[in-house]
Amino acid sequence: MRISDPKLIGAITALGVEHRAGVSMAQKTSLEIGGTSDLLLVRTHESLPELVRLLKQHGVPYRFLGGGSNVLLPDRELPWIILQLARQDPEVRFEGNSVFADCAADLGRTVTTCAKHDLGGMEGLIGVPGTVGGALRMNAGAYGTQIGTFVREVRVYRAAKGQIETLRGSEINFEYRHTSFAPDDIMLTVRLELPSKPYSEILQGIRICNEKRRASQPLNQKSAGCIFKNPPGGSAGRMIDELGLKGHAVGDARVSDRHANFFVNSGHATAADMLALIADVRQRVRERYGVELEEEVIVWKES
Ligand code: EPU
C-alpha cells in the first residue's frame, strides 16, 4: 500500500516519523518472502498514538513489523502500510538486577550485553533471531528458558485504547509461544529482572546452546525458525521427519534437511509456495498421526 496524499505524508514526517516509499518487505524478513509497501519508521515512541490516529482518520490500514524473523508475509503489493520502530539509544540500561531494554533491540545482542554486566538466565535464547519485542510477543523460548519468566514490566502501545501503557509482568500471561498481548499491541520497552551470574559462567552456557543449535538447526538458510508449534507432549519436527518429508518442496519452499520443523526458502520461494507446503505437511501429519499442527510462525492474511 502507498501513501500518496502529500498532506498526510507531511503530517507524518512532522511527527518525526520517516516515510520510505515502496519498500520490498522480502528484505525485512528472515524468510526473504514478502511484497512491497510503504514503510513508516517510528523514531520516538511518543509519536505512535498521533501517528495511528492520523492513519485511521485517513483510512490507511497498517500492520506493525518487528524483527521479521517469525512472520510469513503475502506476495505482491501489501494491503497495509508497515510500521517499524527505530532502535533507541541506549538500547539497554541497567539498575542493579533490572534491565531496561528497548523492544527494537536485537535479542541476541541484548543477551550478551546483559552477560557482560554479570546478569544471566537468558543463555538459552542466544540464537533466537529477532528483536526483544518479538521475543516478548511470542514468549520466545529455547533450551528450557522462556523470556516471560524474567519480565517485570512492559511499556506498550495499546491500539485498542490508542495510548501508551505500562503493564506489570503479573498482568501478562506467558504461555508456550503465546502471550495475552492483543495482536495490535506494540511492545516499546521492557524491564527484565535477571539473576546475577559471573560472565565466564554465562559465556559457557551461551557456547553450549550455540553448539546445540548449530548441530540441529539450519542456521545459515532463510527460515522463520520452527514453522509449527509442538503439540502437547509431542514434537512436530520428529513427526515430519518420520514421514520422510525432509527435502520435500513446493517450488522453492522446502522442508529443511537438518530440522524437519524448519521450512526454508531455498531460492525464490513465494508466500503461496510456503503456504502450500505448510498445508501439505499439516495434512500428512493429520492423516498419519491424527494431530492438527498449529502454526508457530505468524501468517499475515489478506482479509
Ligand atoms: N527431531 C527429529 N527430526 C528432526 C527434528 C527433530 O527427529 O528433523 C527430534 C529430535 O531428535 C528431538 C525432538 O525431535 O528428539 C525435538 O527436537 P529439538 O530438540 O530440535 O527441539 P524442537 O522441539 O524441535 C524446540 C523449539 C525450538 C527451539 C528448540 C531448542 C518449538 C516449536 N521449537 O524445537 O524453537 O530452538 O526446541 O530448545 O517449540 C522456534 O521457536 O522457532 C524454534 C526453533
Side-chain angles (χ1 to χ4, degrees):
M1 156 150 289
R2 310 298 165 115
I3 304 179
S4 48
D5 178 353
K7 267 198 196 147
L8 178 56
I9 294 174
I12 287 170
T13 46
L15 290 173
V17 174
E18 190 182 327
H19 172 238
R20 295 186 186 165
V23 177
S24 160
M25 291 300 149
Q27 295 168 6
K28 299 269 174 197
T29 66
S30 57
L31 268 172
E32 293 188 22
I33 293 176
T36 305
S37 180
D38 282 5
L39 176 80
L40 299 178
L41 191 63
V42 178
R43 298 201 180 279
T44 46
H45 297 159
E46 286 65 32
S47 64
L48 265 170
E50 180 57 13
L51 174 64
V52 173
R53 199 195 61 72
L54 274 172
L55 294 175
K56 283 191 174 152
Q57 184 193 338
H58 287 79
V60 178
Y62 72 91
R63 286 270 170 112
F64 175 77
L65 182 68
S69 60
N70 196 45
V71 283
L72 174 57
L73 270 58
D75 304 312
R76 296 180 287 278
E77 185 74 25
L78 304 182
W80 320 277
I81 293 295
I82 307 301
L83 306 191
Q84 229 178 9
L85 294 178
R87 298 209 308 254
Q88 305 292 304
D89 187 23
E91 290 187 321
V92 188
R93 199 166 52 76
F94 297 90
E95 268 177 37
N97 287 59
S98 279
V99 178
F100 296 83
D102 172 35
C103 287
D106 177 75
L107 178 65
R109 207 172 46 235
T110 303
V111 172
T112 46
T113 308
C114 292
K116 285 175 191 160
H117 284 76
D118 296 318
L119 293 173
M122 298 207 292
E123 293 86 328
L125 296 173
I126 189 67
V128 176
T131 60
V132 169
L136 282 178
R137 164 160 298 286
M138 293 303 292
N139 189 20
Y143 306 114
T145 305
Q146 300 197 337
I147 194 168
T149 315
F150 306 105
V151 173
R152 296 296 172 266
E153 264 173 10
V154 183
R155 199 159 169 265
V156 59
Y157 169 73
R158 310 219 87 172
K161 292 186 180 170
Q163 63 192 36
I164 292 174
E165 282 182 5
T166 300
L167 304 178
R168 283 194 306 277
S170 55
E171 293 175 275
I172 308 161
N173 282 336
F174 289 100
E175 292 161 26
Y176 167 65
R177 298 296 193 276
H178 179 79
T179 59
S180 53
F181 293 111
D184 52 5
D185 281 347
I186 300 177
M187 266 55 75
L188 304 174
T189 52
V190 60
R191 179 167 77 83
L192 304 166
E193 198 168 298
L194 299 183
S196 299
K197 238 189 201 184
Y199 180 48
S200 57
E201 213 177 285
I202 304 173
L203 215 54
Q204 177 75 355
I206 284 177
R207 285 209 186 101
I208 292 169
C209 292
N210 270 336
E211 270 162 36
K212 280 193 204 164
R213 203 178 278 279
R214 260 198 300 274
S216 63
Q217 300 182 359
L219 301 185
N220 52 4
Q221 294 187 58
K222 297 179 263 183
S223 86
C226 286
I227 216 85
F228 295 114
K229 292 183 186 180
N230 283 332
S235 162
R238 187 181 298 136
M239 287 190 285
I240 300 167
D241 193 356
E242 279 174 5
L243 283 167
L245 292 175
K246 279 183 169 170
H248 180 57
V250 175
D252 278 343
R254 189 183 158 93
V255 178
S256 160
D257 293 318
R258 182 164 280 223
H259 193 300
N261 197 16
F262 278 63
F263 290 10
V264 300
N265 173 2
S266 61
H268 301 283
T270 61
D273 293 336
M274 197 51 82
L275 288 169
L277 184 63
I278 291 171
D280 183 25
V281 171
R282 180 188 276 126
Q283 188 188 336
R284 289 171 192 249
V285 168
R286 187 192 302 126
E287 281 167 5
R288 167 80 177 272
Y289 296 95
V291 170
E292 187 69 24
L293 289 179
E294 192 188 324
E295 283 137 19
E296 199 268 345
V297 64
I298 302 196
V299 179
W300 285 15
K301 299 199 172 81
E302 296 181 72
S303 59

